[in-house]
Amino acid sequence: MTGHALIADYLKRLDGSPGVYRMLNAKGEVLYVGKARNLKARVSNYARPSGHSARIARMIRETASMMFLTTRTETEALLLEQNLIKQLKPRYNVLARDDKSFPNILIATDHPYPMIKKHRGARKEKGHYFGPFASASAVNRTLNHLERVFLLRNCSDSMFESRTRPCLQYQIKRCSGPCVGKISEADYADLVADAKRFLEGRSTTIQRELAAQMQTASEEMEFERAAALRDRIKALTNVQQSQGINPRTVPEADVIALHSEGGQACVQVFFIRANQSWGNHDFYPRTGSGAEAPEILQAFIAQFYTHRPPPALLLLSHPVEDEELLAEFLSERAERRVEIAVPQRGEKAELVENAARNARESLGRKMSESAAQAKLLAGVAEAFALPAPPARIEVYDNSHIQGAHAVGGMIVAGPEGFIKSQYRKFNIKGTEITPGDDFGMMKEVLKRRFSRLLKEDPERKSDAWPELLLIDGGAGQVSAVHEIMVEMGVTDIAMVGVAKGIDRDHGKEEFHRIGQRPFALPRQSPVLYYIQRLRDEAHRWAIGTHRAKRAKATMANPLDEIPGIGTARKRALLQHFGSAKAVSRAAPIDLMEVEGISEAMAETIHNFFNEKG
């Protein structure tokens, strides 16, 4: 049995419990994951022979089996549903395709003079977090303003402890110089408190207080202090003018607007915090073969906030399915009440209208770019004799300096352009590779990449398998890659080496394939420009990864490698001796003078440096 008859047969064994159901096709592939307050009532809808949209009718016809899992509550069912959708990526579900983490501003509080910095990821550090911001540039812009106004330090603790004179930040009036005693701990704490108040939306209060302080300083003829306060007020005014949208009646909200057209959709999210706009970001969810706006928006919101704290208010462009359930789910995530609204008038409606306009324009640009990208991929298929335009192209490159800090980089491109969430970096680990051996490095990278693919998806059911590999290099690189791919039994993926050609000049690239003579593309070919963009992006990614690795090695503090030395002991050692080099020269008896360093720990530190020496 399949379709309606199969579903009707399952109904006989279902009860009214809440839970999650899965619909599978004859190959065992999951077509759809859904949740239900009452499984029997929900699944009975699919047993009806008519009254379905074309999308649902097609899904029912393909259904060959179903799976069920009961939960205690409908909210649990919603969470499980979203986790399964992200894991299984069923064809008929709406998929947010969102793995982006948003940055925050952190005022760390684990030091007498707190630092202010950009933070991304889990909130493990002790301090006050403000965000999310839509992009790193939005955070950097805000941090730049905050440094001008509140003069908070942005240097690391180790740099702070090692300073003997003010740095450039102090000279250009972006830091109050706490590292060398230019400001007292109490006065610095006042600056921190003002920065927190500003990020909480109380900037006008701060401005009034600064103006009063400037007037007092002027009356007392402390003209230098009055001038400094004047500069801070001017910087604060510039911040307020550059914020853009500053809603008066909306202190905290995410404004979420959807525009769908031609089977594609764009969701625009604006972050409003402390009555300020902290930027916006666009997303392009997969529409599940033609879902309607309420389902798309409901699925996007549920998936978007599965691992993010939601704000107190969501302002939406469309009503969503199961609005009460969604609000309950978000309230549990936030551990406070979350309200969902579709405003019709006033400032909130204007915010939603602005977001909807951005969504419409973004989707238009995206569709135009997709059409151009489809032509390029068709050209790639023709140039390299592929059976069809590739849905996934992987490009590989290595970067090192005479073999040191060697890394491999992989970028991914497809019908929607560069897929940056799929980029990967590989630290070259092979001990048998001769420093500078590009062939050996490339072989290690490809072996690690495809060994993992074969382990995780041997039947190639996911979209993680490429149709084309582009290797930065000539015949030697392609031969090395071919050798390792044959060894792993992966022989059906097209491989092309991209060599610079004569004079290593752009436009004279030569393409190498196993068993074929090198060939070139016409100098004005759009496909050639596209391949150059892919190669250059892979080079940029590999170079950036290599520089980051080299910088980390250069800036690494040897104290970090000593077992038992954490942040507190490291700070105490640097405060006492001034530098890691001075610690390395200290005798055990001198090390024991530092707070927190026992006799055993002193021996450990001394032995570490003696053995390394």
PDB file of all heavy atoms in Angstrom, residues 508-525:
ATOM      1  N   LYS A 508      45.653  33.061 -19.179  1.00  0.00           N
ATOM      2  CA  LYS A 508      46.396  32.023 -19.893  1.00  0.00           C
ATOM      3  C   LYS A 508      46.378  30.694 -19.129  1.00  0.00           C
ATOM      4  O   LYS A 508      47.263  29.859 -19.293  1.00  0.00           O
ATOM      5  CB  LYS A 508      47.839  32.478 -20.119  1.00  0.00           C
ATOM      6  CG  LYS A 508      47.949  33.719 -21.003  1.00  0.00           C
ATOM      7  CD  LYS A 508      49.408  34.107 -21.237  1.00  0.00           C
ATOM      8  CE  LYS A 508      49.498  35.341 -22.124  1.00  0.00           C
ATOM      9  NZ  LYS A 508      50.920  35.737 -22.352  1.00  0.00           N
ATOM     10  N   GLU A 509      45.367  30.529 -18.270  1.00  0.00           N
ATOM     11  CA  GLU A 509      45.285  29.300 -17.475  1.00  0.00           C
ATOM     12  C   GLU A 509      45.186  28.071 -18.372  1.00  0.00           C
ATOM     13  O   GLU A 509      44.526  28.093 -19.420  1.00  0.00           O
ATOM     14  CB  GLU A 509      44.061  29.344 -16.554  1.00  0.00           C
ATOM     15  CG  GLU A 509      44.265  30.169 -15.301  1.00  0.00           C
ATOM     16  CD  GLU A 509      44.041  31.641 -15.502  1.00  0.00           C
ATOM     17  OE1 GLU A 509      43.751  32.052 -16.650  1.00  0.00           O
ATOM     18  OE2 GLU A 509      44.164  32.387 -14.519  1.00  0.00           O
ATOM     19  N   GLU A 510      45.837  27.006 -17.923  1.00  0.00           N
ATOM     20  CA  GLU A 510      45.724  25.700 -18.587  1.00  0.00           C
ATOM     21  C   GLU A 510      44.985  24.755 -17.665  1.00  0.00           C
ATOM     22  O   GLU A 510      45.158  24.801 -16.442  1.00  0.00           O
ATOM     23  CB  GLU A 510      47.104  25.129 -18.915  1.00  0.00           C
ATOM     24  CG  GLU A 510      47.838  25.864 -20.022  1.00  0.00           C
ATOM     25  CD  GLU A 510      49.151  25.181 -20.372  1.00  0.00           C
ATOM     26  OE1 GLU A 510      49.627  24.345 -19.550  1.00  0.00           O
ATOM     27  OE2 GLU A 510      49.703  25.465 -21.448  1.00  0.00           O
ATOM     28  N   PHE A 511      44.175  23.888 -18.252  1.00  0.00           N
ATOM     29  CA  PHE A 511      43.368  22.933 -17.491  1.00  0.00           C
ATOM     30  C   PHE A 511      43.868  21.524 -17.765  1.00  0.00           C
ATOM     31  O   PHE A 511      44.081  21.150 -18.931  1.00  0.00           O
ATOM     32  CB  PHE A 511      41.885  23.090 -17.858  1.00  0.00           C
ATOM     33  CG  PHE A 511      41.359  24.463 -17.578  1.00  0.00           C
ATOM     34  CD1 PHE A 511      41.306  25.428 -18.580  1.00  0.00           C
ATOM     35  CD2 PHE A 511      40.952  24.819 -16.301  1.00  0.00           C
ATOM     36  CE1 PHE A 511      40.842  26.702 -18.316  1.00  0.00           C
ATOM     37  CE2 PHE A 511      40.486  26.091 -16.021  1.00  0.00           C
ATOM     38  CZ  PHE A 511      40.438  27.038 -17.040  1.00  0.00           C
ATOM     39  N   HIS A 512      44.053  20.778 -16.683  1.00  0.00           N
ATOM     40  CA  HIS A 512      44.640  19.433 -16.789  1.00  0.00           C
ATOM     41  C   HIS A 512      43.638  18.401 -16.276  1.00  0.00           C
ATOM     42  O   HIS A 512      43.044  18.568 -15.203  1.00  0.00           O
ATOM     43  CB  HIS A 512      45.924  19.349 -15.952  1.00  0.00           C
ATOM     44  CG  HIS A 512      46.995  20.290 -16.424  1.00  0.00           C
ATOM     45  ND1 HIS A 512      48.041  19.873 -17.219  1.00  0.00           N
ATOM     46  CD2 HIS A 512      47.172  21.625 -16.225  1.00  0.00           C
ATOM     47  CE1 HIS A 512      48.824  20.911 -17.475  1.00  0.00           C
ATOM     48  NE2 HIS A 512      48.320  21.977 -16.879  1.00  0.00           N
ATOM     49  N   ARG A 513      43.469  17.318 -17.063  1.00  0.00           N
ATOM     50  CA  ARG A 513      42.635  16.187 -16.656  1.00  0.00           C
ATOM     51  C   ARG A 513      43.413  14.908 -16.901  1.00  0.00           C
ATOM     52  O   ARG A 513      44.253  14.820 -17.817  1.00  0.00           O
ATOM     53  CB  ARG A 513      41.319  16.153 -17.423  1.00  0.00           C
ATOM     54  CG  ARG A 513      40.450  17.393 -17.205  1.00  0.00           C
ATOM     55  CD  ARG A 513      39.051  17.204 -17.713  1.00  0.00           C
ATOM     56  NE  ARG A 513      38.338  16.190 -16.954  1.00  0.00           N
ATOM     57  CZ  ARG A 513      37.065  15.865 -17.155  1.00  0.00           C
ATOM     58  NH1 ARG A 513      36.377  16.465 -18.109  1.00  0.00           N
ATOM     59  NH2 ARG A 513      36.486  14.939 -16.424  1.00  0.00           N
ATOM     60  N   ILE A 514      43.149  13.900 -16.101  1.00  0.00           N
ATOM     61  CA  ILE A 514      43.852  12.623 -16.223  1.00  0.00           C
ATOM     62  C   ILE A 514      43.599  12.030 -17.607  1.00  0.00           C
ATOM     63  O   ILE A 514      42.455  11.934 -18.071  1.00  0.00           O
ATOM     64  CB  ILE A 514      43.386  11.629 -15.136  1.00  0.00           C
ATOM     65  CG1 ILE A 514      43.848  12.110 -13.763  1.00  0.00           C
ATOM     66  CG2 ILE A 514      43.900  10.216 -15.406  1.00  0.00           C
ATOM     67  CD1 ILE A 514      45.355  12.106 -13.571  1.00  0.00           C
ATOM     68  N   GLY A 515      44.695  11.658 -18.283  1.00  0.00           N
ATOM     69  CA  GLY A 515      44.584  10.997 -19.584  1.00  0.00           C
ATOM     70  C   GLY A 515      44.280  11.912 -20.741  1.00  0.00           C
ATOM     71  O   GLY A 515      44.001  11.442 -21.850  1.00  0.00           O
ATOM     72  N   GLN A 516      44.305  13.233 -20.519  1.00  0.00           N
ATOM     73  CA  GLN A 516      44.015  14.176 -21.588  1.00  0.00           C
ATOM     74  C   GLN A 516      45.108  15.228 -21.677  1.00  0.00           C
ATOM     75  O   GLN A 516      45.812  15.506 -20.709  1.00  0.00           O
ATOM     76  CB  GLN A 516      42.659  14.858 -21.352  1.00  0.00           C
ATOM     77  CG  GLN A 516      41.474  13.916 -21.339  1.00  0.00           C
ATOM     78  CD  GLN A 516      40.171  14.669 -21.147  1.00  0.00           C
ATOM     79  OE1 GLN A 516      40.097  15.879 -21.368  1.00  0.00           O
ATOM     80  NE2 GLN A 516      39.128  13.946 -20.759  1.00  0.00           N
ATOM     81  N   ARG A 517      45.227  15.804 -22.880  1.00  0.00           N
ATOM     82  CA  ARG A 517      46.207  16.876 -23.058  1.00  0.00           C
ATOM     83  C   ARG A 517      45.698  18.157 -22.396  1.00  0.00           C
ATOM     84  O   ARG A 517      44.489  18.392 -22.350  1.00  0.00           O
ATOM     85  CB  ARG A 517      46.444  17.115 -24.549  1.00  0.00           C
ATOM     86  CG  ARG A 517      47.058  15.914 -25.258  1.00  0.00           C
ATOM     87  CD  ARG A 517      47.366  16.259 -26.688  1.00  0.00           C
ATOM     88  NE  ARG A 517      48.349  17.335 -26.792  1.00  0.00           N
ATOM     89  CZ  ARG A 517      48.748  17.872 -27.959  1.00  0.00           C
ATOM     90  NH1 ARG A 517      48.242  17.423 -29.095  1.00  0.00           N
ATOM     91  NH2 ARG A 517      49.632  18.843 -27.968  1.00  0.00           N
ATOM     92  N   PRO A 518      46.592  19.011 -21.892  1.00  0.00           N
ATOM     93  CA  PRO A 518      46.148  20.292 -21.325  1.00  0.00           C
ATOM     94  C   PRO A 518      45.420  21.123 -22.380  1.00  0.00           C
ATOM     95  O   PRO A 518      45.730  21.051 -23.569  1.00  0.00           O
ATOM     96  CB  PRO A 518      47.469  20.961 -20.906  1.00  0.00           C
ATOM     97  CG  PRO A 518      48.451  19.850 -20.789  1.00  0.00           C
ATOM     98  CD  PRO A 518      48.058  18.821 -21.787  1.00  0.00           C
ATOM     99  N   PHE A 519      44.458  21.882 -21.944  1.00  0.00           N
ATOM    100  CA  PHE A 519      43.720  22.744 -22.865  1.00  0.00           C
ATOM    101  C   PHE A 519      43.427  24.066 -22.173  1.00  0.00           C
ATOM    102  O   PHE A 519      43.576  24.204 -20.951  1.00  0.00           O
ATOM    103  CB  PHE A 519      42.423  22.075 -23.327  1.00  0.00           C
ATOM    104  CG  PHE A 519      41.423  21.831 -22.230  1.00  0.00           C
ATOM    105  CD1 PHE A 519      40.385  22.720 -21.991  1.00  0.00           C
ATOM    106  CD2 PHE A 519      41.529  20.701 -21.415  1.00  0.00           C
ATOM    107  CE1 PHE A 519      39.477  22.491 -20.981  1.00  0.00           C
ATOM    108  CE2 PHE A 519      40.612  20.475 -20.398  1.00  0.00           C
ATOM    109  CZ  PHE A 519      39.590  21.373 -20.181  1.00  0.00           C
ATOM    110  N   ALA A 520      43.009  25.042 -22.966  1.00  0.00           N
ATOM    111  CA  ALA A 520      42.704  26.370 -22.443  1.00  0.00           C
ATOM    112  C   ALA A 520      41.328  26.794 -22.943  1.00  0.00           C
ATOM    113  O   ALA A 520      40.791  26.226 -23.898  1.00  0.00           O
ATOM    114  CB  ALA A 520      43.764  27.373 -22.884  1.00  0.00           C
ATOM    115  N   LEU A 521      40.759  27.792 -22.278  1.00  0.00           N
ATOM    116  CA  LEU A 521      39.485  28.375 -22.691  1.00  0.00           C
ATOM    117  C   LEU A 521      39.747  29.725 -23.345  1.00  0.00           C
ATOM    118  O   LEU A 521      40.778  30.365 -23.072  1.00  0.00           O
ATOM    119  CB  LEU A 521      38.567  28.561 -21.476  1.00  0.00           C
ATOM    120  CG  LEU A 521      38.060  27.276 -20.807  1.00  0.00           C
ATOM    121  CD1 LEU A 521      37.319  27.618 -19.514  1.00  0.00           C
ATOM    122  CD2 LEU A 521      37.158  26.494 -21.739  1.00  0.00           C
ATOM    123  N   PRO A 522      38.845  30.165 -24.210  1.00  0.00           N
ATOM    124  CA  PRO A 522      39.027  31.487 -24.840  1.00  0.00           C
ATOM    125  C   PRO A 522      39.240  32.581 -23.794  1.00  0.00           C
ATOM    126  O   PRO A 522      38.616  32.573 -22.737  1.00  0.00           O
ATOM    127  CB  PRO A 522      37.719  31.695 -25.609  1.00  0.00           C
ATOM    128  CG  PRO A 522      37.207  30.317 -25.869  1.00  0.00           C
ATOM    129  CD  PRO A 522      37.633  29.488 -24.701  1.00  0.00           C
ATOM    130  N   ARG A 523      40.107  33.522 -24.107  1.00  0.00           N
ATOM    131  CA  ARG A 523      40.525  34.522 -23.118  1.00  0.00           C
ATOM    132  C   ARG A 523      39.356  35.351 -22.592  1.00  0.00           C
ATOM    133  O   ARG A 523      39.367  35.788 -21.444  1.00  0.00           O
ATOM    134  CB  ARG A 523      41.585  35.429 -23.749  1.00  0.00           C
ATOM    135  CG  ARG A 523      42.343  36.252 -22.729  1.00  0.00           C
ATOM    136  CD  ARG A 523      43.461  37.032 -23.393  1.00  0.00           C
ATOM    137  NE  ARG A 523      44.218  37.807 -22.425  1.00  0.00           N
ATOM    138  CZ  ARG A 523      45.286  37.386 -21.760  1.00  0.00           C
ATOM    139  NH1 ARG A 523      45.710  36.152 -21.953  1.00  0.00           N
ATOM    140  NH2 ARG A 523      45.917  38.162 -20.917  1.00  0.00           N
ATOM    141  N   GLN A 524      38.312  35.590 -23.402  1.00  0.00           N
ATOM    142  CA  GLN A 524      37.169  36.391 -22.973  1.00  0.00           C
ATOM    143  C   GLN A 524      36.001  35.533 -22.486  1.00  0.00           C
ATOM    144  O   GLN A 524      34.905  36.049 -22.290  1.00  0.00           O
ATOM    145  CB  GLN A 524      36.699  37.272 -24.144  1.00  0.00           C
ATOM    146  CG  GLN A 524      37.772  38.187 -24.710  1.00  0.00           C
ATOM    147  CD  GLN A 524      38.331  39.133 -23.665  1.00  0.00           C
ATOM    148  OE1 GLN A 524      37.600  39.648 -22.825  1.00  0.00           O
ATOM    149  NE2 GLN A 524      39.651  39.374 -23.707  1.00  0.00           N
ATOM    150  N   SER A 525      36.223  34.252 -22.273  1.00  0.00           N
ATOM    151  CA  SER A 525      35.135  33.341 -21.889  1.00  0.00           C
ATOM    152  C   SER A 525      34.617  33.650 -20.481  1.00  0.00           C
ATOM    153  O   SER A 525      35.406  33.748 -19.530  1.00  0.00           O
ATOM    154  CB  SER A 525      35.618  31.895 -21.942  1.00  0.00           C
ATOM    155  OG  SER A 525      34.695  31.039 -21.299  1.00  0.00           O
TER     156      SER A 525
END
